């Protein structure tokens, strides 16, 4: 009998965190699931640990790749091996809250037109503190939620909401395997923002829903890809470039929101590289694309920083 859910975990030298991630999946209070763990050329003993785990648990599938081909290629290998109609994605340093994930799997089965769903989450900071998701980082999505709770279908707003900003944490995603394959999977040419690119493409293939429940513990640590500022912003540039023409046709507000996000990212990169003048110009660009009280405050901080009256973000982080 085929599994109901295939959970794909890419990993590389993640032996410190991977067992906890895998344990959170194996604790799912549901039947018929498989865990596909793709080892992307680890050298820390991950391969041996996975082989032993898979030999003792038929739910675990261990795939070994000889070199680091990147997280997109690793996830695609897992998708190719998956047997269930619904896929789940989990990073090797994150943890699912199993009961909530099980309820959302039932949503997908009851609503087969749903190609993508995602949830809220808590972030585990490097100092061990827990931080709720910053909904202010995604103002358009926050306005859509508007204090509601439960499973919220995005309806006809799906493309607009996802093309303008990325409120989706990859480790919270459940998705239709057929739709992911039809959309082309993750793009290995993108080292970052590859997830955002896929979510936008998936929104063209069916319904999207969001759960306001906290279903994930997401780890934030200095070694993660998200802390590679230049790489992250390069990915954002490419995703905005790919989808801007369609965004302008379908939702000019989404197109402007994406440009605002890009300008904010460019400003962040300029701060990190010590180019205060460029940072201020990009902050102005963000305010022009998306005028708001919040952007006015950001502009004021940028102006004070450029004038040397406030420390730059990089200085504060240090």
């Amino acid at each position: 009998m085929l599994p109901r859910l295939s959970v794909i975990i890419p990993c590389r030298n993640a032996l410190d965190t991977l067992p906890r991630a895998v344990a959170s999946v194996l604790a799912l209070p549901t039947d018929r699931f498989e865990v596909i763990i793709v080892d992307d050329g680890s050298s820390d003993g991950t391969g041996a640990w996975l082989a032993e785990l898979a030999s003792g648990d038929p739910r675990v599938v261990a795939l070994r790749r000889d070199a680091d081909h990147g997280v997109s290629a690793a996830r695609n290998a897992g998708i190719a091996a998956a047997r269930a109609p619904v896929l789940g994605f989990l990073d090797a340093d994150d943890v699912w809250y199993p009961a909530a994930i099980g309820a959302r799997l039932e949503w997908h089965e009851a609503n087969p037109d749903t190609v993508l769903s995602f949830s809220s989450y808590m972030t585990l900071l490097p100092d061990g503190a827990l931080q709720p998701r910053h909904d202010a980082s995604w103002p358009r999505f926050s306005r859509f939620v508007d204090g509601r709770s439960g499973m919220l279908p995005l309806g006809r707003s799906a493309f607009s909401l996802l093309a303008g900003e990325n409120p989706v944490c990859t480790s919270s995603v459940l998705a239709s395997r057929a739709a992911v394959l039809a959309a082309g999977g993750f793009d290995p040419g993108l080292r970052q923002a590859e997830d955002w690119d896929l979510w936008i493409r998936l929104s063209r293939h069916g319904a999207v829903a969001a759960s306001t429940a906290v279903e994930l513990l997401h780890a934030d640590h200095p070694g993660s890809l998200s802390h590679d500022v230049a790489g992250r912003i390069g990915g954002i540039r490419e995703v905005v470039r790919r989808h801007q023409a369609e965004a302008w046709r379908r939702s000019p507000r989404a197109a402007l929101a994406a440009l605002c996000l890009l300008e904010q990212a460019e400003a962040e990169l300029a701060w990190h590289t010590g180019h205060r003048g460029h940072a201020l110009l990009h902050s102005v660009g963000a305010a022009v694309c998306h005028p708001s009280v919040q952007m006015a405050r950001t502009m004021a901080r940028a102006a004070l920083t450029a004038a040397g009256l406030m420390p730059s973000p990089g200085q504060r982080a240090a």
Side-chain angles (χ1 to χ4, degrees):
M1 187 176 294
L2 292 177
R4 299 166 62 200
L5 173 69
S6 296
V7 183
I8 297 166
I9 305 178
C11 64
R12 185 170 190 272
N13 295 332
L15 196 54
D16 288 344
T17 61
L18 180 62
R20 189 175 179 215
V22 174
S24 75
V25 178
L26 295 179
L28 283 172
T30 185
D31 59 348
R32 295 178 20 229
F33 65 89
E34 63 181 358
V35 189
I36 303 172
I37 307 166
V38 186
D39 178 14
D40 210 25
S42 293
S43 58
D44 66 343
T46 293
W49 182 84
L50 283 177
E52 182 178 358
L53 179 66
S55 68
D57 193 327
R59 298 172 297 178
V60 177
V61 178
L63 302 181
R64 169 74 178 179
R65 295 158 65 84
D66 294 331
D68 179 11
H69 297 284
V71 68
S72 290
R75 289 193 184 114
N76 287 343
I79 293 166
R83 298 180 298 143
V86 179
L87 304 174
F89 297 104
L90 181 64
D91 288 344
D93 53 357
D94 292 342
V95 173
W96 271 359
Y97 297 138
I101 291 291
R104 193 148 46 95
L105 173 60
E106 293 179 358
W107 169 276
H108 275 260
E109 293 173 334
N111 299 273
D113 62 327
T114 300
V115 299
L116 169 69
S117 73
F118 59 97
S119 75
S120 190
Y121 56 89
M122 295 288 289
T123 298
L124 178 64
L125 299 176
D127 63 2
L130 293 177
Q131 175 179 280
R133 184 173 82 166
H134 282 306
D135 287 339
S137 299
W138 304 287
R140 301 181 78 247
F141 180 69
S142 295
R143 287 196 295 272
F144 169 80
V145 173
D146 192 27
R148 293 178 292 168
S149 62
M151 285 294 294
L152 305 177
L154 272 57
R156 299 177 66 178
S157 300
F159 175 84
S160 171
L161 289 170
L162 296 180
E165 57 194 18
N166 182 21
V168 184
C169 181
T170 300
S171 287
S172 78
V173 162
L174 297 184
S176 159
R177 182 175 183 269
V180 170
L181 290 173
F186 293 92
D187 182 354
L190 287 171
R191 296 292 291 188
Q192 293 208 46
E194 78 292 334
D195 51 352
W196 186 25
D197 175 60
L198 178 56
W199 314 148
I200 296 171
R201 286 185 278 122
L202 273 177
S203 71
R204 305 182 185 117
H205 289 264
V208 180
S211 169
T212 62
V214 175
E215 303 183 8
L216 168 73
L217 181 62
H218 171 60
D220 178 27
H221 55 83
S224 66
L225 280 174
S226 62
H227 288 268
D228 173 10
V229 177
R232 176 165 53 84
I233 292 167
I236 292 173
R237 286 191 197 113
E238 177 59 18
V239 173
V240 171
R241 184 195 68 79
R242 290 181 181 186
H243 300 286
Q244 268 294 285
E246 183 178 4
W248 280 115
R249 288 195 305 270
R250 296 178 58 175
S251 176
R253 290 185 178 181
L256 286 171
L259 289 176
C260 175
L261 179 69
L262 178 58
E263 289 290 344
Q264 288 177 297
E266 297 283 9
E268 181 185 356
L269 179 60
W271 291 127
H272 278 266
T273 55
H275 295 89
R276 292 187 172 189
H278 289 166
L280 179 59
L281 287 174
H282 285 298
S283 296
V284 171
V288 170
C289 291
H290 193 270
S292 66
V293 173
Q294 181 180 349
M295 287 307 304
R297 291 172 179 167
T298 301
M299 268 283 302
R301 286 194 297 269
L304 290 171
T305 303
L309 300 176
M310 286 182 67
S312 71
Q315 290 173 317
R316 287 196 294 272

